[in-house]
Amino acid sequence: MSSSWWSSVADAATRWSFRSGQERDPDRLAYRRSVIGIGLRVAVVSAALVAAIIVLVVGYVLWQLTPGQVHEPPGPADVHITLDTVDLSIAVVGVGGFAIVLAGIAAWVIARRAVRPIAEAARVQRTFVADASHELRTPLTVLHARVQRLQKLTPADDPRRDVVDELRSDTRVLIDIVNDLLDAAAGTTEPGGTADLDRALTTVRRDMAVLAEERQVHLDVRADPGDTGAVVAVSEPQLHRCLVALTDNAIGHTRPGGHVRVEATTAGPSVVIRVTDDGSGITGIAPTRVFDRFAHGTSASATRTGHGIGLALVRDVAVRAGGDVTVERTGPGGTVFALRLPLLRSTPVPRDREDHP
């Protein structure tokens, strides 16, 4: 069976886990998913071996009950033992079932021990992220203060004022990112905050249009015209960071002249934001692993090489908010990322209202 099938089974088992339903730490979820995946593999192999033994025993008993074996003259070394067929079958099946249960428990314990190095590696990564973020916090705070001073010194009618205002906004975003990184590394990030989806999409279109134009990629950002006014259960800086990371990843893996589309729709109690590119797809790594820290694949259409942090941060924000981010589709025709976030409220508008300006 393919590894993707096992990953799907492990993901389903993780979602049905009682403890996983309350878990908001992506690293712990990944650890639990690995344990469940390894445990399932070992348990299935053990169950198959026990089942094969049961089949052989039952087959041997049935063969011994054939007329030819029953009426066969006993040899000098033969020992005759009388057994009830039904009792023997029940005993064999019972012992086999008990062996399967023991094998499952043993597989679970072995899997937990085998995956401990992964948990330790995740802890080391958290420490590294916390240290790096801590070192960045002070210089960014100083930079933001200087930009604020520059803003005050720049008259409102100065043609450079718009650039200064955007620079202040950008430094504020950087500080928020560093603070979120520190909270995530410490495991103290709590879900909270709200963000207007329309405003976030407008902002990401404005911020990423320059990058898309530089790389000669056509960028299209839009929301469902009938569901504008949606408010999602993450803070505005977190939503902006998620959209920028997904869009930047798509642009970076799209050839010049290609297209990247960001589209938001409502699906029941959630908002689904899909980022689609027409690159060459995810290669060199399993699609489910692109959200692991420091993990990155290879792509023939990639215009740059990432360091495997941006998508991990997206997963961190989504999971802590009660949502998720997945790779819906990938292949030679492109890749589709789907970011699902809890929907707090939505204000429908008439269909004749235009999309974002």
Side-chain angles (χ1 to χ4, degrees):
M1 298 182 182
S2 65
S3 59
S4 60
W5 185 89
W6 282 109
S7 298
S8 300
V9 174
D11 289 342
T14 304
R15 286 193 296 270
W16 279 99
S17 170
F18 174 78
R19 292 179 59 193
S20 298
Q22 307 298 325
E23 185 60 71
R24 289 293 181 266
D25 189 328
D27 291 331
R28 291 183 181 275
L29 281 175
Y31 171 76
R32 188 166 297 134
R33 187 181 296 114
S34 298
V35 171
I36 292 176
I38 296 174
L40 284 175
R41 286 176 171 86
V42 177
V44 168
V45 172
S46 301
L49 291 175
V50 173
I53 294 173
I54 293 175
V55 170
L56 290 175
V57 171
V58 172
Y60 178 77
V61 171
L62 294 177
W63 177 64
Q64 289 294 320
L65 294 176
T66 57
Q69 292 296 319
V70 171
H71 300 293
E72 181 182 5
D78 289 346
V79 177
H80 291 273
I81 301 175
T82 303
L83 295 174
D84 185 271
T85 307
V86 176
D87 291 341
L88 178 61
S89 301
I90 294 175
V92 170
V93 173
V95 171
F98 183 68
I100 292 175
V101 172
L102 287 180
I105 296 174
W108 177 264
V109 174
I110 294 172
R112 285 178 62 89
R113 291 181 178 272
V115 179
R116 279 180 183 174
I118 299 178
E120 177 63 19
R123 187 193 65 78
V124 173
Q125 290 176 5
R126 281 177 178 266
T127 303
F128 168 77
V129 171
D131 292 342
S133 301
H134 183 75
E135 292 298 323
L136 288 172
R137 173 185 275 180
T138 299
L140 281 176
T141 302
V142 173
L143 177 63
H144 186 63
R146 289 177 176 172
V147 171
Q148 286 180 303
R149 183 179 179 185
L150 177 63
Q151 186 183 41
K152 292 179 180 179
L153 296 175
T154 306
D157 57 350
D158 192 311
R160 294 167 292 186
R161 179 59 183 264
D162 290 340
V163 177
V164 174
D165 291 342
E166 291 178 357
L167 183 60
R168 178 183 177 180
S169 176
D170 291 341
T171 56
R172 181 71 258 175
V173 169
L174 286 174
I175 292 174
D176 291 336
I177 290 175
V178 169
N179 290 333
D180 285 346
L181 283 173
L182 284 169
D183 292 339
T188 58
T189 300
E190 296 294 336
T194 61
D196 181 272
L197 182 60
D198 285 353
R199 183 161 55 243
L201 291 173
T202 301
T203 303
V204 78
R205 179 195 292 112
R206 181 198 65 197
D207 293 348
M208 301 305 294
V210 177
L211 183 62
E213 182 179 355
E214 177 184 334
R215 295 175 180 168
Q216 302 177 18
V217 173
H218 302 284
L219 176 63
D220 181 20
V221 182
R222 65 179 63 184
D224 187 337
D227 288 310
T228 56
V231 176
V232 294
V234 294
S235 66
E236 291 189 0
Q238 289 176 332
L239 179 59
H240 179 73
R241 186 164 77 249
C242 290
L243 295 178
V244 167
L246 291 172
T247 307
D248 177 57
N249 178 77
I251 293 175
H253 289 82
T254 302
R255 294 185 180 91
H259 296 77
V260 171
R261 179 168 180 166
V262 182
E263 185 176 17
T265 58
T266 57
S270 303
V271 167
V272 182
I273 304 171
R274 290 182 173 85
V275 180
T276 306
D277 65 67
D278 53 9
S280 59
I282 299 172
T283 57
I285 189 175
T288 55
R289 290 201 58 233
V290 297
F291 303 106
D292 295 345
R293 288 191 181 96
F294 308 111
H296 56 84
T298 59
S299 175
S301 59
T303 57
R304 62 176 177 79
T305 301
H307 299 285
I309 298 178
L311 295 181
L313 296 180
V314 174
R315 182 194 64 170
D316 189 272
V317 170
V319 172
R320 291 182 186 279
D324 195 9
V325 59
T326 58
V327 178
E328 281 195 344
R329 174 179 59 81
T330 186
T335 302
V336 180
F337 284 89
L339 172 64
R340 291 175 175 81
L341 296 171
L343 175 65
L344 294 182
R345 64 179 182 275
S346 179
T347 305
V349 297
R351 285 284 176 178
D352 57 352
R353 174 176 170 177
E354 295 184 350
D355 287 346
H356 303 287

